[in-house]
Amino acid sequence: MSKELKTGIIALLIIALGVWGYNFMKRQDLFSPNSRHFYVEYDNINGLNEASVVTINGLQVGKVDAINFNPKLDKRGSLLVRLSLEDDFQFSKASIAKIYSAGLMGGQNLAIIPNYEGEMAVSGDYLKGEIESDLFSSVGEKLNPIQAKLENVLVEADSLLIGLNQVLDKKARESLNRSVIGIENTVSSLNNTMVSFNDILESNKEKISVTFDNTKKITDDFSKVSGDLAKSDLGATVKKLESTLSNVNNLIKGIESGKGTVGKLMSDEQLYTNLTNATKEMEELLREMKLNPKRFVHFSLFGKKPKPYNEDKNNENVSNE
C-alpha cells in the first residue's frame, strides 16, 4: 500500500471522526436513521438552544436539532424550532411542546405534553408551542404590575408635593411651623400637667385610700339595706297600705255623703247652727254663773231677791250685783 493511499485513508478517518464528534457534541446520533422530526413555532424561545433535551413525562426521548427564524413572510420574526425524537412513542397532533426551566443553572429544556385524542403525529408535523414561566419570570410578571402602580404612585406623590409647595408659600410655611411649635408646647404643657397630677395623687394617696374605703363601706351598707328590703315582705305591706287607704277613702266618702255622726255634723247645716247656738248659750251661762253666782246659789234670811239677768253687762263681763 502506497503512502498516498494510507494518507488518504487516514484523512478520511479523521474527517469521519470529526463529523461524528461534532454531532456527538450536539447530541445527534448518526446511527439512528429512523428518528422522527417535528417543528414548533415560538415568538420567544426564552433561552432554549440547540442540543437542549426533549422529554416526555420526564423521560429524555430526543433533542433540539436547530433553531432558525421562520422563513414565512406572515410570521416574520418568530422562531422555528426543529426537534428530533429517537423514541417511537405515539401521540397526537394536539400535543404541546412546552419550554421549561431545568433549574436555576440548568438552562432551558423542551417537554412534550402528549395528547392522545385525534390524528397521530408523524415526522414533519407542527406541534403547538408554549413557554412555562420560571421562578424569575414569575416574579418578574408579578412585579411588573406592582412596578407600574408604584411608578404611578410616585408620579402622583410628586405632583402632590409640587402642588403643596405651590400652595404653601413662605408665610404659610411659617404659619405651619408656628402651629407645629404650638402643638409641641401644648404637648409639653400636658406632660407637665400629668406630672403635677401624679404628684397630687402621690401626696394624697392615703386620703384617697380612706375615701375609697369609706365608699366601699357605704356600698356594703347599702347592699345590706337592699338585702334587708329584698327579704322583707314589701308586697304584703303595700297591700295592707292599699287596704288602709281604701278604708280611709270610704270613710271620707261616707263623711262627704252625710253618713254617720261626723257626716251629719259636716253636712247638716241646721245641726251645725244649733250646736253653735247651744255653745254660745252655754258660754253665756257660764259667764253669768261666774259673774252673778248669787242668782244660782242664794241664801238670805231676809228674803232679799237677786237682781235679774242683764244681757249687756253679761256681754261686757261685768257683775250685776
Side-chain angles (χ1 to χ4, degrees):
M1 184 181 294
S2 64
K3 292 182 179 180
E4 291 80 3
L5 182 58
K6 291 180 180 180
T7 303
I9 293 172
I10 293 172
L12 291 174
L13 290 174
I14 292 172
I15 293 171
L17 288 173
V19 173
W20 180 83
Y22 175 75
N23 286 278
F24 178 79
M25 293 297 295
K26 294 178 63 177
R27 298 183 181 182
Q28 292 182 357
D29 190 357
L30 297 175
F31 304 101
S32 299
N34 296 326
S35 61
R36 297 176 294 169
H37 300 281
F38 297 95
Y39 297 93
V40 188
E41 294 178 350
Y42 295 99
D43 293 330
N44 189 331
I45 60 174
N46 201 24
L48 186 72
N49 54 38
E50 295 182 1
S52 293
V53 174
V54 178
T55 62
I56 296 179
N57 296 335
L59 176 65
Q60 180 177 345
V61 293
K63 57 187 176 299
V64 176
D65 292 333
I67 301 175
N68 298 300
F69 284 103
N70 199 321
K72 297 180 181 179
L73 295 178
D74 58 340
K75 295 183 179 180
R76 184 178 301 175
S78 63
L79 298 170
L80 185 63
V81 177
R82 182 177 182 271
L83 58 95
S84 61
L85 300 183
E86 300 170 0
D87 195 288
D88 58 355
F89 183 81
Q90 297 295 319
F91 50 85
S92 69
K93 293 182 179 180
S95 301
I96 298 174
K98 178 180 290 185
I99 298 175
Y100 69 96
S101 176
L104 294 177
M105 303 297 293
Q108 302 290 332
N109 289 336
L110 195 149
I112 296 178
I113 301 176
N115 191 320
Y116 308 106
E117 297 180 358
E119 185 180 356
M120 292 293 109
V122 296
S123 182
D125 286 340
Y126 281 74
L127 302 178
K128 182 180 179 181
E130 289 184 1
I131 299 177
E132 182 180 66
S133 298
D134 57 8
L135 176 62
F136 297 104
S137 299
S138 299
V139 173
E141 291 175 357
K142 293 181 179 179
L143 288 180
N144 286 335
I146 298 176
Q147 180 182 359
K149 293 181 180 179
L150 182 60
E151 289 177 353
N152 293 331
V153 171
L154 291 176
V155 171
E156 293 178 358
D158 184 63
S159 301
L160 178 61
L161 290 176
I162 293 173
L164 187 62
N165 289 329
Q166 292 177 353
V167 172
L168 294 178
D169 54 4
K170 184 178 179 180
K171 292 183 178 180
R173 288 194 295 270
E174 291 177 354
S175 177
L176 183 61
N177 291 331
R178 288 195 297 271
S179 299
V180 173
I181 294 173
I183 293 173
E184 291 179 354
N185 294 331
T186 302
V187 173
S188 178
S189 300
L190 183 61
N191 290 332
N192 295 330
T193 303
M194 293 301 296
V195 171
S196 301
F197 184 72
N198 290 331
D199 293 338
I200 293 172
L201 290 178
E202 187 66 26
S203 60
N204 294 275
K205 184 184 296 183
E206 295 181 359
K207 295 181 180 179
I208 294 174
S209 179
V210 171
T211 301
F212 279 115
D213 292 339
N214 293 334
T215 304
K216 184 176 182 301
K217 184 178 179 181
I218 293 172
T219 304
D220 294 339
D221 293 340
F222 184 75
S223 298
K224 185 177 179 180
V225 171
S226 299
D228 294 338
L229 290 175
K231 292 179 181 179
S232 62
D233 193 359
L234 291 178
T237 303
V238 172
K239 288 182 179 179
K240 291 180 180 179
L241 182 60
E242 290 178 351
S243 177
T244 302
L245 291 176
S246 178
N247 293 332
V248 171
N249 290 331
N250 293 331
L251 179 61
I252 292 173
K253 289 180 179 179
I255 292 173
E256 290 178 351
S257 60
K259 294 181 180 180
T261 303
V262 178
K264 291 180 178 179
L265 288 174
M266 294 183 66
S267 59
D268 191 347
E269 294 182 359
Q270 184 64 37
L271 179 61
Y272 174 77
T273 302
N274 294 336
L275 287 175
T276 302
N277 294 332
T279 303
K280 184 177 180 181
E281 291 177 356
M282 182 64 69
E283 182 182 357
E284 292 176 352
L285 177 61
L286 291 175
R287 186 182 295 112
E288 180 66 17
M289 290 179 66
K290 182 179 179 181
L291 296 175
N292 303 297
K294 293 180 179 181
R295 293 185 66 248
F296 301 95
V297 180
H298 178 67
F299 294 95
S300 177
L301 296 176
F302 302 100
K304 186 179 179 178
K305 294 182 179 179
K307 294 182 179 181
Y309 171 75
N310 190 329
E311 184 177 359
D312 294 334
K313 290 184 176 181
N314 191 295
N315 293 332
E316 294 175 358
N317 201 19
V318 177
S319 176
N320 195 22
E321 295 298 330

